[in-house]
Amino acid sequence: SSLWKFSGYHVDENGKAPKRVAGAGKLEYNSRLRSMLWRVGGSLLKAGIRYYCTKCGEQRPPASETEELKCAKCGGKEFKPKSISKFAEYYHEQKNLYYVKFYNRGVKIVKASELPKDEEGKRYEPADMISEGHIHAMALRKMLKLFLSCLWQVWRQAEGLPLTEPYAKAKAGHPHVIDPWSMIDKPAKKVG
């Protein structure tokens, strides 16, 4: 949890992710690390997801900005994502859980362009709506917190330092903890 706090992935006293506030003084987290982790999360997703044609199952060619995406084999234009890494798989599981959670609460999930605007023309999320991008960010945040937890455990093992139970089990009461070694895609030797 101390690494989560240092990197800005903790929650404040209101249960919300910390934000910059003008005139509030020094940040309680490292903003450069937080930005870097956001980029790491994007890279973990890009490396861990492949898109396949819904008609024939052929892998989608790399995206090009000048031409329309279509399958090289059958000409299909619809592609479905498939996770090929453990972290991308975890991201999709969390994203699906958020979709179910909001759907069960009666919250409408919309594209950002469908959100209403206030008097100043800025888009906002009313209590009965949430954007797909917001759900993406929430799932990405959970994936990055898992990444940080795994990093912390392996780092302490590598340095020969004692390990305590992860925050999720010790303080938050989760029944099980994800082993960092189960999150790697290729077999590796355990440290320590």
Side-chain angles (χ1 to χ4, degrees):
S1 63
S2 59
L3 182 57
W4 288 348
K5 185 166 186 168
F6 181 71
S7 58
Y9 279 83
H10 63 295
V11 293
D12 62 17
E13 52 277 343
N14 300 323
K16 303 281 184 184
K19 291 184 179 181
R20 286 181 181 261
V21 178
K26 188 177 177 188
L27 292 173
E28 58 181 7
Y29 60 89
N30 185 316
S31 62
R32 287 180 63 195
L33 178 57
R34 186 172 171 170
S35 297
M36 188 182 302
L37 282 168
W38 190 255
R39 291 192 299 269
V40 165
S43 295
L44 283 170
L45 284 183
K46 288 174 191 165
I49 298 174
R50 298 293 180 268
Y51 291 87
Y52 295 90
C53 179
T54 54
K55 283 186 178 178
C56 69
E58 185 75 10
Q59 185 174 338
R60 181 181 83 182
S64 170
E65 293 181 23
T66 57
E67 61 183 323
E68 184 180 13
L69 273 180
K70 62 181 180 178
C71 178
K73 191 173 182 181
C74 71
K77 295 181 182 178
E78 290 185 30
F79 298 90
K80 185 177 180 183
K82 181 180 177 191
S83 302
I84 62 166
S85 78
K86 305 279 177 84
F87 280 102
E89 215 171 271
Y90 182 79
Y91 162 83
H92 278 108
E93 287 170 11
Q94 297 308 309
K95 188 174 179 180
N96 289 337
L97 287 173
Y98 279 123
Y99 270 94
V100 169
K101 176 182 171 180
F102 287 112
Y103 177 79
N104 289 341
R105 286 185 183 171
V107 176
K108 188 175 179 184
I109 301 165
V110 298
K111 294 185 183 321
S113 60
E114 297 171 13
L115 289 171
K117 292 182 180 180
D118 62 12
E119 304 84 39
E120 298 167 2
K122 289 185 176 182
R123 299 215 182 261
Y124 70 97
E125 289 181 345
D128 63 339
M129 280 185 171
I130 190 166
S131 71
E132 292 173 341
H134 194 157
I135 292 175
H136 160 74
M138 291 165 64
L140 187 63
R141 179 181 166 83
K142 281 199 88 164
M143 181 191 74
L144 285 169
K145 287 181 80 167
L146 174 63
F147 173 79
L148 286 171
S149 179
C150 291
L151 174 69
W152 177 260
Q153 290 177 56
V154 173
W155 194 344
R156 291 198 56 94
Q157 282 179 342
E159 294 291 331
L161 298 169
L163 276 173
T164 57
E165 279 191 326
Y167 180 86
K169 187 170 186 176
K171 304 276 188 198
H174 289 263
H176 69 280
V177 175
I178 297 172
D179 178 42
W181 300 104
S182 69
M183 293 305 292
I184 56 175
D185 299 314
K186 294 180 183 176
K189 295 178 184 175
K190 280 192 175 183
V191 177

